[in-house]
């Protein structure tokens, strides 16, 4: 297999994440180092269907390591979910003599890669790029650290006004099915509570915590809510709290897509660079239908089917910390 790989393509799919450009750069330059021809596919799997593919050389990825977003653009392709779309995408790859594809993205991206590999026996390599950090088999995903830093910066600012007015703020952060951003933002900003989709009991715990705070006449606080929380988003949680406590003056702030942009942190640049490099090395060493992740600071290759199906565990100890520390 290793002998066969001479021409590879790289794409980004799903939600963009700061650090994707660093990963693209590492894929292109590691490929060039091994005398491979490297191609960039624009607009994710949709671009694979439409044949939006161009050769990328060393200079084409200069001055992008520090940029947010993705220079290859990204998309969530509905057409790629159908067999006809995937067949068309396969034809693009054959027409361009591509031997393997590096797909940078999250769960949806890897699901597409896994199906594509099984239908056409085509070598695929996943690189975990999503701010949500919800991929099993890697300690961190590209973009997570930057998103958390952005969210913490926003919460710090909200803290100033919350403190001045003695208000209880519910700050909604991203994470459709995942509470990682909420957990790290909550801990890093000294929040009084964290609500995440993975935990069903956390609203009760929050109400208990607010009761204790109210008894101490501490009416100022920050509660971080993941957008995908089982019990509803920040507005709904704020309503539940307002009904139970009249003492608190509540406010809601939804940070939204701010968390997806900006220059990647040092951590994300290093992570993305190691993963992009590891992806190409992995393909050349015969790994395919896997994701290149990082575990305990080592590059690892994890079957895509595990990365997609298995749930990344949540450390429940982290969730209990706000009630001890705030
Ligand atoms: O997957 C990353 C993510 O930012 C989620 O946290 C969020 O739910 C989703 O993407 C939003 O997607 P879109 O930008 O397509 O609305």
């Amino acid at each position: 297999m290793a002998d066969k790989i001479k021409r590879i393509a790289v794409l980004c799919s799903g939600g963009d994440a700061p650090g994707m450009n660093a990963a693209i750069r590492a894929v292109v330059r590691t490929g060039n180092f091994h005398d491979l021809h490297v191609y960039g596919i624009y607009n994710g799997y949709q671009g694979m269907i439409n044949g939006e593919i161009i050769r990328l050389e060393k200079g084409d990825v200069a001055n992008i390591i520090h940029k947010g977003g993705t220079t290859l653009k990204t998309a969530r392709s509905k057409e790629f979910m159908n067999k006809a779309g995937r067949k068309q995408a396969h034809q693009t790859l054959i027409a361009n003599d591509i031997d393997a594809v590096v797909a940078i993205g999250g769960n949806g991206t890897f699901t597409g890669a896994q199906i594509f590999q099984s239908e056409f026996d085509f070598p695929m390599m996943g690189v975990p790029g999503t701010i949500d950090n919800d991929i099993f088999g890697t300690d961190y995903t590209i973009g997570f650290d930057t998103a958390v830093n952005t969210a913490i910066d926003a919460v710090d600012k909200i803290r100033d006004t919350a403190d001045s007015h003695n208000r209880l703020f519910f700050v909604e952060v991203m994470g459709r099915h995942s509470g990682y951003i909420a957990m790290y933002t909550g801990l890093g900003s000294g929040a009084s509570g964290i609500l995440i989709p993975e935990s069903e009991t956390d609203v009760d715990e929050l109400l208990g915590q607010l009761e204790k705070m109210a008894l101490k006449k501490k009416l100022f606080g920050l509660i971080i809510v993941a957008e995908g929380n089982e019990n509803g988003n920040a507005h709904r949680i704020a309503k539940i709290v307002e009904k139970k406590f009249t003492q608190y003056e509540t406010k809601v702030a939804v940070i939204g897509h701010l968390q997806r942009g900006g220059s990647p942190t040092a951590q994300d640049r290093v992570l993305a660079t190691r993963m992009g490099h590891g992806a190409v090395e992995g393909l050349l060493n015969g790994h395919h239908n896997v994701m290149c992740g990082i575990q305990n600071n080592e590059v690892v290759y994890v079957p895509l089917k595990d990365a997609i199906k298995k749930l990344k565990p949540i450390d429940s100890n982290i969730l209990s910390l706000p009630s001890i520390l705030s």
Side-chain angles (χ1 to χ4, degrees), residues 172-229:
E172 184 176 304
V173 296
M174 274 188 160
R176 198 169 8 208
H177 306 296
S178 165
Y180 270 90
I181 297 178
M183 279 196 323
Y184 278 65
T185 302
L187 274 198
S189 60
S192 300
I194 303 169
L195 287 98
I196 63 167
E198 292 89 339
S199 167
E200 282 168 16
T201 55
D202 51 12
V203 171
D204 291 339
E205 280 164 24
L206 174 70
L207 295 176
Q209 166 78 356
L210 291 175
E211 189 135 33
K212 277 195 268 165
M213 283 166 53
L215 283 174
K216 287 190 225 149
K217 306 239 176 312
K218 182 183 184 271
L219 299 179
F220 141 76
L222 299 159
I223 312 296
I224 311 300
V225 185
E227 63 174 334
N229 188 277

Side-chain angles (χ1 to χ4, degrees), residues 158 167-173 221 223 225 233-242 249-255:
I158 290 168
R167 285 169 169 164
L168 181 65
F169 262 83
F170 293 84
V171 184
E172 184 176 304
V173 296
I223 312 296
V225 185
N233 61 18
H235 285 282
R236 285 187 50 200
I237 306 285
K239 288 241 149 53
I240 295 171
V241 170
E242 276 162 21
E249 185 187 352
T250 64
K251 291 279 173 188
V252 173
V254 178
I255 308 179

Side-chain angles (χ1 to χ4, degrees), residues 14-16 76 130-132 134 174-177 181 227 257 260:
D16 61 350
R76 301 189 196 274
T130 162
I131 64 165
D132 287 355
D134 58 348
M174 274 188 160
R176 198 169 8 208
H177 306 296
I181 297 178
E227 63 174 334
H257 284 79
R260 286 249 294 268

Side-chain angles (χ1 to χ4, degrees), residues 128 138 140-143 266-276 294:
T138 186
Y140 295 104
T141 58
I142 296 166
Q267 177 135 327
D268 272 330
R269 294 180 200 196
V270 172
L271 187 75
T273 299
R274 291 182 72 193
M275 286 175 172
I294 301 266

